[in-house]
Amino acid sequence: MPPRHSLVLRPTQSLAMTARLQQAIKLLQFSQSELEAFVDAELVDNPLLERAQDLSDAGEAGDRLEAVQTLPTEQASQQPPDWSDWDEYRNEEPWSPQDRAAPATAGVESDWSLEHLPQPDVGLREHLLEQLRLERLSQRESTLAAALIDALDPDGYLRAELPELAADLGCAPADLEALVPRLQELEPSGVFARSLQECFALQLARLDRLDPAMQTLLDNLPLLAEGRWSRLQSLCGVDVDDLNEMVSELRRLDAAPGHAFAAPSPETLIPEVLVTRDATGIWQASLNPEGRIQVRVDASAYRQLVRRCRTAGDRNYLSERYQAARWLERSLQQRGDTLLRVANALVGTQQDFFEQGASGLRPLTRRELAEKLTLHESTVSRAIANKHLACPRGTFALSYFFTTAIAGAEGDAHAAESIRQRIRSLIEGESPEAILSDEALVALLKQDGIEIARRTVAKYREAMNIPTSRQRRRQARLAG
């Protein structure tokens, strides 16, 4: 029987992620600095947008906002904008990148020059590739060397498995092995090391200080970490003064030579949420007016410009700019409302933390908070991403207050973070004569109603960079 074709209408439901919806989602998870940069770009691009102060906040909040934010002169002026040159502006060609980069004093004699412009930071990869051009390498060797540079970790170490990398590049592992010593001669000293010992050895060799005693010390760095100085003196064949001098030399070396090229620029941290106690003694959350970013649509300017439009293209452009400005205004308001809802629910759940500290943290997951607020879990995750909270106990990331639950001896639950802080306080309170082992910590925690395994205690202790009881006992003997 031949196939038959027919048209059938079937109703279906689907969620379409429009461009504005996608931008609204990104807006929610932006950090303070990212949001500031995004809004600044929109203010430059859209002539109908301007910054707005939160007129609903009065008194102290208004004073704080005025202290940290000074509006530009043209925005602070109460005079209505002058759009008399709209016809000329409309007919002008868009600015070119060269126009934007031109100095404001163009045509005026000054000592301005390109040398006065801030130079971009050079990354580790660019720094090494620049040196690679001066090396006498064949084209194939240069290609393999560039691949090795790309395989470096941010700290400058080469931790990639060379056989696997060679298979990807279609060469023999010996070809890469032969290149590594030549690349280790590049700056910074210690780059392309495969271990901490090799990194120190490369730097000491550059300083002509890699003698047999120092090499022996590098081969036995675990003994140095454990504080076994007498054993090191015996292995290196030096006295205590020489060993002290050798250790001092190691401390002057750079354990991560690549970090000098990957250090991020410092960023001012402005918490978006403030937590204070109200008159009834309950801790409440509020948005920080000093960090809140708001914009408003200049409707009067829009009406003036629409009346001056002569073509449909001009009217369409203004309509698009007006709708984009309205969307950004609403999205920023919705972002603040969502963040405040999440922060209030979080603070309401963690009241004991603000009274007692980390020991008062309650187990809380993003899903639990999302169900409480009738939000999607992903919305809660985006709302707390890159956000911070300031309270009398300090400044904390919002994600700090979400921690898993560990069952207690009597059926109650304890937050993992509070258990970690309890372990830290027990170790900090131990005496040099009675160092607590992991088994002893398990017993002490059990007395507090917390039953966890010894391996869990060891995992938490290692995560807090606390040495083992054996290492702490040696350190106590050396200090005493």
Side-chain angles (χ1 to χ4, degrees):
M1 182 177 180
R4 300 177 60 187
H5 301 280
S6 62
L7 296 176
V8 179
L9 294 176
R10 294 180 181 175
T12 60
Q13 291 184 345
S14 62
L15 177 62
M17 293 285 287
T18 64
R20 288 189 177 178
L21 179 58
Q22 293 176 11
Q23 278 199 328
I25 292 174
K26 290 181 180 179
L27 206 65
L28 181 60
Q29 65 186 11
F30 275 167
S31 66
Q32 184 71 21
S33 59
E34 292 171 337
L35 182 64
E36 183 77 36
F38 176 81
V39 171
D40 285 343
E42 289 293 319
L43 289 170
V44 172
D45 184 63
N46 197 330
L48 302 179
L49 267 179
E50 62 181 12
R51 284 192 180 272
Q53 293 184 2
D54 188 3
L55 300 179
S56 63
D57 292 336
E60 181 182 353
D63 295 338
R64 283 187 294 172
L65 178 60
E66 185 178 357
V68 299
Q69 181 179 9
T70 303
L71 291 176
T73 305
E74 59 270 21
Q75 292 185 8
S77 174
Q78 299 301 320
Q79 298 297 326
D82 181 15
W83 297 100
S84 59
D85 59 346
W86 167 249
D87 292 333
E88 291 77 6
Y89 170 78
R90 175 170 55 89
N91 295 325
E92 285 180 356
E93 293 294 329
W95 283 3
S96 65
Q98 291 80 5
D99 295 330
R100 294 184 183 272
T105 56
V108 179
E109 292 186 3
S110 68
D111 58 353
W112 184 90
S113 69
L114 289 174
E115 296 178 355
H116 295 164
L117 291 177
Q119 298 300 316
D121 295 333
V122 178
L124 178 62
R125 181 178 183 274
E126 291 75 15
H127 181 67
L128 293 173
L129 287 175
E130 186 65 28
Q131 298 176 70
L132 192 63
R133 297 187 185 97
L134 304 178
E135 297 293 320
R136 294 183 177 179
L137 299 176
S138 64
Q139 184 173 357
R140 175 175 171 76
E141 288 176 331
S142 297
T143 302
L144 297 180
L148 287 172
I149 291 175
D150 290 337
L152 284 179
D153 286 351
D155 55 7
Y157 283 73
L158 181 62
R159 296 187 176 92
E161 296 294 336
L162 293 188
E164 297 178 4
L165 185 59
D168 294 338
L169 297 173
C171 67
D175 295 337
L176 298 180
E177 289 284 357
L179 275 175
V180 170
R182 300 184 64 177
L183 296 176
Q184 288 176 343
E185 297 177 359
L186 303 178
E187 293 289 342
S189 180
V191 75
F192 284 98
R194 271 72 65 89
S195 65
L196 178 63
Q197 290 89 338
E198 187 177 17
C199 181
F200 283 169
L202 291 171
Q203 297 178 55
L204 290 168
R206 192 83 58 95
L207 298 171
D208 196 20
R209 279 293 294 122
L210 190 60
D211 53 32
M214 186 65 80
Q215 183 62 61
T216 304
L217 177 60
L218 293 178
D219 294 338
N220 294 276
L221 285 181
L223 297 180
L224 180 60
E226 296 173 5
R228 300 175 64 179
W229 287 65
S230 0
R231 177 62 175 162
L232 286 173
Q233 286 179 239
S234 174
L235 290 173
C236 298
V238 296
D239 57 24
V240 64
D241 292 334
D242 289 337
L243 185 59
N244 281 329
E245 184 180 348
M246 293 164 64
V247 172
S248 298
E249 286 191 57
L250 291 185
R251 288 173 177 165
R252 290 193 292 268
L253 301 178
D254 189 355
H259 280 174
F261 296 86
S265 56
E267 179 180 336
T268 302
L269 177 61
I270 301 178
E272 298 203 14
V273 178
L274 302 179
V275 178
T276 54
R277 196 198 300 266
D278 63 14
T280 63
I282 304 298
W283 294 94
Q284 299 286 348
S286 62
L287 296 182
N288 184 3
E290 297 182 359
R292 194 169 184 182
I293 301 173
Q294 290 183 307
V295 298
R296 72 180 183 91
V297 183
D298 194 343
S300 62
Y302 173 68
R303 290 190 294 269
Q304 292 182 43
L305 293 176
V306 166
R307 286 195 296 267
R308 301 184 67 87
C309 288
R310 300 177 180 177
T311 65
D314 291 342
R315 286 190 291 272
N316 290 337
Y317 170 77
L318 280 178
S319 177
E320 291 174 0
R321 295 294 84 198
Y322 182 73
Q323 295 299 327
R326 289 285 303 274
W327 166 82
L328 182 59
E329 184 182 29
R330 290 194 299 266
S331 296
L332 287 175
Q333 182 64 42
Q334 184 178 6
R335 177 185 185 272
D337 294 343
T338 303
L339 178 57
L340 185 59
R341 284 187 63 196
V342 171
N344 271 320
L346 188 152
V347 172
T349 304
Q350 301 291 5
Q351 288 283 315
D352 290 342
F353 167 83
F354 302 102
E355 295 287 347
Q356 308 168 16
S359 60
L361 273 177
R362 294 183 56 187
L364 181 65
T365 64
R366 291 165 175 79
R367 176 173 295 180
E368 292 171 352
L369 195 65
E371 292 175 353
K372 182 178 180 179
L373 297 173
T374 62
L375 296 173
H376 196 276
E377 185 179 351
S378 63
T379 302
V380 173
S381 297
R382 292 187 180 97
I384 68 173
N386 307 312
K387 314 294 191 309
H388 291 78
L389 170 154
C391 65
R393 293 189 175 273
T395 302
F396 302 86
L398 292 184
S399 57
Y400 172 83
F401 297 93
F402 294 88
T403 180
T404 56
I406 295 180
E410 300 179 359
D412 52 347
H414 301 273
E417 181 61 27
S418 65
I419 296 176
R420 282 192 285 267
Q421 296 302 320
R422 178 59 178 156
I423 292 173
R424 180 187 293 276
S425 63
L426 288 172
I427 292 177
E428 289 177 350
E430 66 187 4
S431 64
E433 295 78 18
I435 300 297
L436 297 174
S437 64
D438 291 344
E439 290 81 1
L441 291 172
V442 170
L444 291 173
L445 290 173
K446 188 175 182 179
Q447 295 177 8
D448 295 338
I450 304 172
E451 287 191 359
I452 59 176
R454 185 198 63 80
R455 63 179 178 274
T456 305
V457 171
K459 181 181 70 173
Y460 287 170
R461 175 180 52 72
E462 292 171 358
M464 294 184 289
N465 295 321
I466 297 177
T468 64
S469 58
R470 183 180 178 184
Q471 292 171 333
R472 299 200 306 275
R473 194 173 293 111
R474 285 200 182 95
Q475 292 173 359
R477 284 202 303 265
L478 290 172

